[in-house]
Amino acid sequence: MAENWDGEILYLPEPTGQSAMIAQVRDYWRAQCRDGRFPRRGDIDPLGLRGVLPYLSIMEFAPPTPRGDPFRIKFRLVGSELARFYGSEVTGKWLDEIPDWSDVDTADTLAVFRRVYDSAAPVYGLSLCLWEENPDHVFEFGCFPLSEDGRNVTHCLGIDDYTMIAPRPPRAI
């Protein structure tokens, strides 16, 4: 299986079935698709995804331009658990402007979202990550295209299931 990894990413045709969070977001996203059109960013209701909000992200895409500006992504919403794993708050920042990310992490993250943009389809996969100084942890992710006009991908709804690495203890009620 190692030969199928692209850097630190293993792209999958479908989710593994081991993440209830990814299944929940996929089903929610599918329910928001109407008449063959992608949902708009405004169609995503946090109440419909409240059980997974800490692991959810929304990215804005800045496509490449004819004058040579590169494809870029901006973090519009980043859940609290994602921020914990990222090591800092990245909401409102462009990926290429985050100083404490390695070049490999930046390139891999950009490649995942470029795949969503280019394919105009959901992208699933596994990713290696460094956690507590151990580089061999794997988490599963899903990314779902959003579109302000229903056809051209402008944003992405992402879910990163880090619970298989370092689950957070349940909160006291």
Side-chain angles (χ1 to χ4, degrees), residues 1-12 124-128 141:
M1 184 189 280
E3 66 274 8
N4 294 328
W5 286 82
D6 183 6
E8 295 180 343
I9 306 292
L10 175 64
Y11 293 103
L12 302 170
Y124 305 101
L126 302 173
S127 180
L128 290 169
F141 66 86

Side-chain angles (χ1 to χ4, degrees), residues 3-84:
E3 66 274 8
N4 294 328
W5 286 82
D6 183 6
E8 295 180 343
I9 306 292
L10 175 64
Y11 293 103
L12 302 170
E14 293 291 327
T16 64
Q18 296 179 27
S19 172
M21 286 194 292
I22 291 172
Q24 179 183 346
V25 174
R26 181 193 60 208
D27 294 347
Y28 178 86
W29 177 82
R30 284 178 176 166
Q32 304 311 306
C33 292
R34 304 265 194 300
D35 301 322
R37 298 171 76 78
F38 296 130
R40 292 173 297 128
R41 180 179 166 202
D43 294 333
I44 306 304
D45 179 3
L47 292 177
L49 294 166
R50 71 178 155 260
V52 300
L53 282 176
Y55 299 92
L56 210 62
S57 62
I58 295 181
M59 308 298 188
E60 178 182 348
F61 296 155
T65 65
R67 66 174 184 256
D69 296 324
F71 176 79
R72 294 177 78 199
I73 60 170
K74 189 174 210 173
F75 294 87
R76 287 298 184 183
L77 171 97
V78 176
S80 59
E81 283 298 281
L82 295 184
R84 180 171 78 102

